[in-house]
Amino acid sequence: MPYLAAAVVLVGLLCVLNLLLTLGLIRRLREQGAAQPRHAGPPMALKPGSEVGDFATTTVDGEPLSRADLIGLVGFFSAGCEPCHDLAPRFAALSTGLPRLAVVTGEDPELVAVLSPAARVVVEDYDGVVSGAFQNTWTPALYLIDGGQRVVAAGGRLEDLPIEIPV
């Protein structure tokens, strides 16, 4: 009987020790989590300084397009994406003087109609060649590309890019 009582006391002490260690771990994780930003934006595969991969495709107007033609603002939009539909008119209305390319994944004539007057538009599947060249899996996604086909800035909103946006 004394062995049973000793075993119960030992198990109880181990449980209290485990509880104290768990509470300390939770407190430390909360402290570390508070130091990190809550919303870091969409997961952009190509970061500033990255080079865009090779691709060759055709715009909806029949114009050939390749990596060599790439400069300016590139936007990725997808069918059925509410934030994409909200961003598309602002993307089309920009008066920055930068050439624009809009990549629409999926069938969405409305997005194409909004974007076509202001940008070259490519319609492709979700695993299309332009998306592959950018390693892009998120929409909306915006990239600012320099003359060397390198990413200058990337983000999910126009405000994430270092361009002047009319209010």
Side-chain angles (χ1 to χ4, degrees):
M1 195 68 165
Y3 296 115
L4 182 60
V8 169
V9 169
L10 181 63
V11 169
L13 289 174
L14 287 175
C15 287
V16 170
L17 178 65
N18 186 25
L19 178 65
L20 291 174
L21 289 174
T22 302
L23 290 175
L25 181 62
I26 290 171
R27 185 170 14 120
R28 179 159 301 183
L29 288 174
R30 282 186 179 165
E31 289 171 0
Q32 289 178 352
Q36 296 176 357
R38 292 272 182 218
H39 176 67
M44 309 302 282
L46 290 185
K47 305 289 186 209
S50 301
E51 192 171 318
V52 177
D54 283 329
F55 69 90
T57 189
T58 306
T59 67
V60 293
D61 295 329
E63 173 188 351
L65 180 72
S66 69
R67 177 181 174 270
D69 304 316
L70 202 57
I71 189 171
L73 191 56
V74 179
F76 288 86
F77 305 88
S78 62
C81 166
E82 190 62 36
C84 296
H85 283 268
D86 295 340
L87 177 62
R90 293 182 58 218
F91 181 85
L94 278 177
S95 58
T96 62
L98 292 171
R100 283 168 276 176
L101 169 65
V103 181
V104 178
T105 55
E107 292 294 321
D108 197 331
E110 182 182 329
L111 267 177
V112 172
V114 168
L115 295 165
S116 287
R120 295 174 293 175
V121 178
V122 172
V123 176
E124 64 181 19
D125 292 330
Y126 288 95
D127 58 350
V129 294
V130 182
S131 295
F134 278 83
Q135 303 170 22
N136 191 69
T137 59
W138 193 271
T139 59
L142 301 169
Y143 296 89
L144 188 58
I145 307 298
D146 67 10
Q149 290 77 39
R150 292 193 175 276
V151 176
V152 174
R157 306 171 306 146
L158 288 171
E159 292 78 15
D160 295 337
L161 304 179
I163 56 175
E164 190 168 323
I165 302 166
V167 180

